């Protein structure tokens, strides 16, 4: 796709002198260049502890405790003593299957 405007030239142009189209182009390019791909829910790999469960589900630590105690994701958790290892992908799939945990899709 060919760009109609030169980004660097528009940065030097006063806003009052821009057309609406130029301003929209400049805003779109600026936002696109500063956006980072973020995901509130982690996936792939192992996470450790209750904090790991909180990261996987994008929730608070007390909510992560309730999720663990519910037993829904027990197959995804390996616990030896106080050490908890969570398989993130398995935990998310178990939660979706059960329907008992509402996961925010963002």
């Amino acid at each position: 796709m060919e760009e109609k405007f030169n980004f660097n030239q528009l940065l030097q142009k006063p806003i009052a002198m821009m057309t609406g189209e130029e301003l929209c182009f400049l805003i779109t390019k600026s936002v696109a260049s500063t956006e980072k791909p973020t995901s509130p829910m982690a996936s792939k790999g192992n996470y450790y502890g209750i904090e790991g469960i909180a990261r996987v589900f994008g929730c608070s630590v007390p909510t992560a405790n309730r999720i663990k105690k519910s037993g829904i994701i027990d197959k995804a958790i390996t616990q030896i003593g106080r050490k908890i290892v969570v398989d993130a992908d398995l935990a998310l799939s178990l939660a979706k299957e059960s329907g008992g945990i509402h996961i925010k899709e963002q």
Side-chain angles (χ1 to χ4, degrees):
M1 184 170 131
E2 189 176 318
E3 294 182 3
K4 293 170 84 174
F5 307 107
N6 184 320
F7 181 74
N8 291 326
Q9 286 178 344
L10 284 178
L11 285 174
Q12 302 303 317
K13 190 174 184 179
I15 293 175
M17 302 295 287
M18 290 184 192
T19 65
E21 189 178 17
E22 290 172 332
L23 184 58
C24 286
F25 173 81
L26 186 61
I27 291 170
T28 304
K29 285 292 186 179
S30 296
V31 169
S33 68
T34 59
E35 283 183 346
K36 296 179 201 170
T38 58
S39 176
M41 293 188 311
S43 65
K44 297 186 180 180
N46 294 328
Y47 289 83
Y48 301 95
I50 297 297
E51 292 83 10
I53 296 172
R55 271 191 233 123
V56 168
F57 290 101
C59 65
S60 66
V61 171
T63 301
N65 257 321
R66 286 193 295 274
I67 290 170
K68 182 181 179 301
K69 287 180 182 180
S70 73
I72 293 172
I73 62 169
D74 279 352
K75 291 180 184 175
I77 296 173
T78 304
Q79 184 169 357
I80 301 170
R82 295 182 61 190
K83 182 78 167 184
I84 298 171
V85 180
V86 182
D87 180 337
D89 291 329
L90 182 56
L92 289 170
S93 66
L94 289 170
K96 285 182 182 179
E97 285 174 18
S98 75
I101 301 172
H102 300 287
I103 301 170
K104 292 180 188 176
E105 299 283 341
Q106 291 181 343

